[in-house]
Each structure stands twice: as C-alpha cells, then as structure tokens.
C-alpha cells in the first residue's frame, strides 16, 4: 500500500536513501536531509486508514437544523404591487439610505430627550416595548383617560424610529433589534409601529449583509407574505406596508426569489 502511495505522490524534494533506524529522533535534525528523513519516518508510522471514535451520545445533543428556503406566499389576486410601483419604492428607499448615511454623524451627536432611554442591545423585552409600546406589547388597549390625555405617551404607544435614535445603533444592535421584532412578528399580526421600525432598520442596514441579517430579512419578507395572504380587502391598511417590506427585501437587497411577479 505504501509503495503504491509513493508512486502516486512523487517526491518534490530530493532525499538520499539511508537507514531510518540510524536516526536519533530525540535530537533536533542536524541538516535538511535529516529533517526530511525524520518526516519520512513519521509518515511511515501513520496507519493507512484512520477511523474516528465518535460518541453517539454527543450527536444527540447537536441535531441538524432544517432551514426553510421557500419563497414568499403568493399574494391574493389583485393584492400584489406592479413592477413600476416596486421600482419606484426601491428608488425612494435608496435615496433615504443615502441621506441617512450622509447625516448619520450629525444626528448621532444630537442630545436625546430625558424621556428617551434606549435599551441595551441585549435587552430583548426592553426593545420590544421601546419600539412597539406597552399597549401593543402587553396587549393592553389604551384607557379612555389615556386616549383623552394631551400629547403622546411614547412609553405606551412606542417610540418612533427618530434619526437621533437609529443613528446611534451599530450594525450588531441593528441586527439584534431586527431579530427581536421578527420574533414578535412571527407569532402576531402586523402593526404600524412594527412597519415604521422595520423600514428604519432596513435603511440603516449596511451592505453586504452579514449572514445573520441576510437570514432575518428573508424571514421578514416571508412572514409579511403570510400575513398579506390572510387579508380580505384591498383597502386594508396593512397591505401597502406589507408590500413595501417584501419589495425592499426582494428588490433592494436582491433576494430575487422572494419578489412579487411583474
């Protein structure tokens, strides 16, 4: 077997023939020839076939995860946007991204109001309440007193994605907030607060996408298509923002298999 391997793998360096047993492997090589002969000796001691010893118990703890690679659900007849509309939205979104990038440093330097407390990046519940508001996140409709109260209570209704807020977020935090909101959206329907934040986060998401962000925006488009498929009338307020999210993920971020037809 070893001779066959030697014939298939020609030597790249010249090596004088000699008795390998004469070498003292406890001492460092005295010259290049000794070094090559030591390597040859070590290679001759390696078995032709090596079998890994695998503990089946460890495999049970690390099962393979099957990832869905399906596209978006088709929209009900008449609910999907035209190609002209989609290209227009992509153009507008590109301009928004350019303006955000251009003025990011300015908005980042602005002082936030005292009532704006941005959660830490690892505070999932804090971000869900911050973006969606207590009324949506806790499923507690506003009371009559809250409805008639002057001004807006952002703690209750959710903080809008002001540029002074989103400009402070690094890419890791943007991906984290996307994941938090996607987790919430995967089990619930669409609300306006979610749409505003998803648009703002997508506008701040840098290309090329990291694998985590790539997976998240595809989940977002697929989930949006699932909710759209349940709509019954074209006048539903959720239709336009859902179409917009699917359009931006598919057309701007080049996930073409998720795009609505022409």
């Amino acid at each position: 077997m070893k001779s066959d391997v030697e014939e298939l793998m020609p030597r790249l360096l010249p090596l004088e023939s000699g008795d390998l047993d004469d070498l003292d492997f406890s001492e460092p090589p005295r010259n290049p020839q000794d070094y090559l002969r030591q390597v040859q000796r070590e290679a001759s001691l390696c078995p032709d076939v090596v079998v890994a010893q695998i503990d089946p118990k460890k495999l049970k703890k690390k099962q393979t995860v099957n990832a869905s690679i399906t596209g978006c659900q088709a929209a009900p007849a008449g609910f999907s946007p035209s190609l002209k509309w989609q290209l227009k939205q992509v153009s507008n979104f590109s301009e928004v991204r350019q303006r955000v990038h251009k003025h990011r440093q300015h908005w980042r330097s602005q002082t936030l109001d005292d009532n704006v407390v941005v959660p830490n990046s690892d505070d999932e519940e804090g971000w869900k309440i911050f973006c969606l508001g207590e009324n949506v996140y806790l499923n507690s409709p506003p009371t009559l007193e809250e409805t008639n109260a002057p001004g807006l209570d952002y703690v209750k209704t959710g903080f809008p994605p002001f540029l002074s807020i989103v400009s402070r977020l690094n890419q890791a935090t943007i991906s984290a907030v996307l994941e938090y909101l996607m987790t919430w959206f995967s089990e619930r329907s669409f609300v306006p607060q979610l749409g505003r934040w998803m648009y703002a986060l997508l506008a701040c998401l840098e290309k090329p996408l990291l694998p985590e962000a790539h997976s998240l925006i595809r989940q977002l488009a697929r989930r949006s298509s699932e909710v759209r498929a349940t709509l019954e009338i074209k006048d539903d307020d959720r239709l336009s923002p859902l179409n917009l999210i699917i359009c931006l993920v598919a057309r701007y971020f080049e996930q073409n298999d998720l795009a609505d037809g022409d």
Side-chain angles (χ1 to χ4, degrees):
M1 179 66 181
K2 292 185 183 299
S3 61
D4 294 340
V5 172
E6 291 176 357
E7 291 177 2
L8 293 173
M9 300 175 63
R11 295 177 181 177
L12 297 180
L13 295 173
L15 181 61
E16 297 178 358
S17 59
D19 190 354
L20 297 179
D21 295 332
D22 294 340
L23 291 176
D24 185 358
F25 290 97
S26 63
E27 297 291 335
R30 294 170 296 179
N31 52 57
Q33 287 291 331
D34 282 355
Y35 171 76
L36 292 176
R37 292 173 68 192
Q38 285 191 10
V39 171
Q40 186 184 46
R41 172 63 175 171
E42 292 174 358
S44 69
L45 298 176
C46 293
D48 294 331
V49 178
V50 178
V51 179
Q53 300 299 321
I54 300 176
D55 184 357
K57 295 181 180 179
K58 294 182 179 180
L59 294 179
K60 294 181 180 180
K61 299 179 181 180
K62 298 181 180 180
Q63 295 294 327
T64 301
V65 177
N66 295 320
S68 174
I69 57 174
T70 57
C72 288
Q73 288 193 20
F79 281 57
S80 61
S82 66
L83 179 59
K84 181 179 179 180
W85 182 91
Q86 294 180 62
L87 296 179
K88 178 63 175 175
Q89 302 310 314
V90 170
S91 176
N92 293 342
F93 182 68
S94 180
E95 293 179 3
V96 169
R97 283 174 60 90
Q98 291 176 17
R99 291 199 297 269
V100 170
H101 179 75
K102 181 178 180 180
H103 301 292
R104 180 185 293 271
Q105 195 60 40
H106 166 75
W107 287 108
R108 185 181 296 173
S109 63
Q110 300 301 301
T111 303
L112 297 176
D113 294 339
D114 294 337
N115 67 325
V116 182
V117 181
V118 179
N120 294 327
S121 61
D122 59 351
D123 185 0
E124 180 173 352
E125 184 176 25
W127 271 108
K128 289 177 180 177
I129 295 176
F130 185 84
C131 299
L132 304 173
E134 291 182 349
N135 292 340
V136 170
Y137 181 67
L138 301 177
N139 195 24
S140 57
T143 63
L144 181 61
E145 181 180 353
E146 293 173 350
T147 303
N148 296 330
L152 288 174
D153 183 354
Y154 287 135
V155 174
K156 296 290 186 181
T157 63
F159 285 88
F162 296 124
L163 283 173
S164 55
I165 295 176
V166 296
S167 295
R168 286 173 158 77
L169 308 182
N170 57 33
Q171 291 300 297
T173 303
I174 290 172
S175 293
V177 178
L178 269 173
E179 183 176 4
Y180 301 153
L181 296 180
M182 188 59 231
T183 300
W184 184 89
F185 186 34
S186 65
E187 299 176 350
R188 296 168 182 82
S189 190
F190 184 85
V191 294
Q193 294 93 323
L194 180 71
R196 288 192 287 267
W197 269 96
M198 286 302 189
Y199 187 93
L201 293 172
L202 290 176
C204 296
L205 198 60
E206 295 179 356
K207 297 173 70 175
L209 297 176
L210 296 174
E212 296 81 1
H214 177 270
S215 175
L216 285 170
I217 66 171
R218 288 183 62 84
Q219 291 178 47
L220 173 61
R222 284 197 294 264
R223 176 57 182 160
S224 297
S225 73
E226 291 173 0
V227 175
R228 183 180 62 179
T230 66
L231 304 183
E232 298 179 352
I233 58 174
K234 297 180 183 178
D235 293 334
D236 195 307
D237 292 338
R238 295 171 292 175
L239 178 59
S240 183
L242 290 170
N243 279 338
L244 180 57
I245 289 174
I246 297 169
C247 167
L248 296 181
V249 171
R251 301 287 183 181
Y252 184 85
F253 290 100
E254 301 174 307
Q255 306 302 306
N256 298 318
D257 61 306
L258 304 180
D260 286 312
D262 298 352

